[in-house]
Amino acid sequence: MKPKQQPLKAEAPLVAHIIYALGTGGLENGLVNIINRCPPGRYRHAIICLTRSEEFASRITAPGVEVIELDKRPGHDWGMYWRLWRVLRRLSPAIVHTRNLAALETQALGVVMPRCKRVHGEHGRDINDIDGSNVKYRWLRRGLSPMIHRFIAVSRDLAEWLKGPVGLPPAKVVQIYNGVAHDRFSPQRKAGTGNPRVRSEARGIPEGFFTVPGCRVVGTVGRLAAVKDQGSLLRALAAIVQAEPAQREMLRCILVGDGPERASLQSLVEELALGDCVWMAGDRDDIPNLLACMDVFVLPSLGEGVSNTVLEAMATGLPVVATRVGGNPELVTEGDTGLLVPVSDIAALARALQRLIDDPALCIRMGNAGLERVQRDFDWQRTVAAYLQVYDVLLGRTSSAG
């Protein structure tokens, strides 16, 4: 266990957030945004990582947030539960908030913490249960439900799944969308192509990558993991180039992120002979600039809750091509803000990309529609207020408390 900052002061009620790891990802991004944007003095926060924290922890700017690592070993590490119990006993939180399946089992400690209010967040299904049909996982959620006071789902799709197939009491389920930091993203659709200045100034760009005038750039941002299925995007690009070899000179792709699939994706780039077309940019802290380099944003995921990167792409004024899964159809309106394709359908993905690559005017129209939607409906302050309202209700506090 490794405290990352100074111990918390005993003032406002403490929320202990339990997650598997504090690395780069949508869940973690949402958690950090909520903590950073929580009004001072309203609630205190601590983050308990069942495994480890990474450099992403440096993005926490709120004062007094303790980050604790439990160094869980692979498989069943019963000692981790003892370490977690000791941490919770020391922190004495008013609320324990777990997120996703990997942390759900820790809610069993509610048996020995009866006064603590308990919240569980569903941010997307596990890679081993993409369609949510795993009976064991459904029974786990249902069995722990008496100890959990609220379930928060980041999409309507997840909320209806919890109330329907999983069988949770509807009164316990709250749906709250993620937000987007509008001040970080600048719309880039006026010229019909990604911002030439930003392209010329991008850090780490391969030599000559953007030198062809008018080149069209597609890209994606996310952890390089099996569930994100960036391989389908690469195969769709290869299909486009194979059908029309001249596209090799004009088409570019940026893969932003890192993760366990990096080596296999790099091998796939070489296998498909796309080395001159694809830039694997790695983990970055300049996502707004890289989005501004793109003409089309792509999310080929096998499953999603609500994608922060789709919201950020829309805030940049980009049209979005996404798979028709999870919360994606709640963000991407077919034919209006982007295009939806079936999961792992390489031909359909290639057709959607080709349609937008060939029609800059359509990209502008869809990008503007997406920008209007995200500015109207998605904001972190609204999201934070909704989370705090859940906490306030559970603790019997007024909305103006703190």
Side-chain angles (χ1 to χ4, degrees), residues 72-291:
K72 179 184 181 297
R73 295 188 297 272
H76 290 290
D77 180 0
W78 298 110
M80 182 275 295
Y81 286 91
W82 171 245
R83 296 191 295 275
L84 175 58
W85 162 240
R86 291 176 60 193
V87 168
L88 291 175
R89 186 173 61 177
R90 173 175 67 84
L91 294 176
S92 189
I95 293 173
V96 169
H97 188 155
T98 56
R99 286 169 169 82
N100 272 3
L101 184 66
L104 176 61
E105 291 182 358
T106 66
Q107 292 282 11
L109 290 176
V111 172
V112 290
M113 298 183 66
R115 296 181 182 178
C116 181
K117 301 299 182 180
R118 313 190 74 83
V119 177
H120 180 70
E122 293 286 352
H123 294 252
R125 299 186 187 96
D126 187 78
I127 182 61
N128 298 314
D129 187 29
I130 289 295
D131 62 357
S133 63
N134 187 295
V135 175
K136 174 185 173 182
Y137 295 157
R138 287 187 185 180
W139 274 106
L140 179 61
R141 291 175 171 90
R142 198 177 307 166
L144 289 172
S145 175
M147 302 178 195
I148 300 174
H149 300 89
R150 291 291 185 277
F151 288 80
I152 298 178
V154 298
S155 68
R156 293 197 304 269
D157 171 73
L158 285 171
E160 293 307 310
W161 171 70
L162 290 173
K163 292 183 288 186
V166 176
L168 300 183
K172 282 193 172 186
V173 179
V174 179
Q175 192 267 309
I176 303 175
Y177 281 124
N178 290 337
V180 64
H182 296 285
D183 56 342
R184 294 187 63 219
F185 301 93
S186 300
Q188 304 293 335
R189 307 309 315 150
K190 293 181 180 179
T193 59
N195 190 308
R197 178 188 60 78
V198 175
R199 287 182 180 179
S200 68
E201 296 175 355
R203 292 190 286 107
I205 179 175
E207 185 175 357
F209 192 71
F210 291 137
T211 55
V212 177
C215 70
R216 305 288 285 164
V217 181
V218 303
T220 190
V221 179
R223 182 166 170 77
L224 304 186
V227 70
K228 298 300 182 181
D229 196 22
Q230 290 94 345
S232 284
L233 171 56
L234 296 176
R235 291 185 174 91
L237 293 174
I240 292 172
V241 170
Q242 184 177 6
E244 191 174 342
Q247 291 279 4
R248 180 176 295 277
E249 296 299 318
M250 300 298 296
L251 185 57
R252 296 291 182 267
C253 176
I254 305 175
L255 298 186
V256 184
D258 208 344
E261 294 297 310
R262 182 179 180 88
S264 62
L265 289 169
Q266 186 65 64
S267 296
L268 183 59
V269 169
E270 296 169 4
E271 176 188 333
L272 298 174
L274 292 174
D276 54 345
C277 301
V278 177
W279 174 25
M280 298 188 67
D283 267 339
R284 305 282 294 219
D285 59 6
D286 58 345
I287 300 302
N289 287 344
L290 293 179
L291 287 173

Side-chain angles (χ1 to χ4, degrees), residues 353-368:
L353 292 175
Q354 189 71 70
R355 179 182 173 188
L356 292 174
I357 289 167
D358 290 344
D359 195 340
L362 179 61
C363 287
I364 294 173
R365 179 174 66 78
M366 287 184 170
N368 286 337

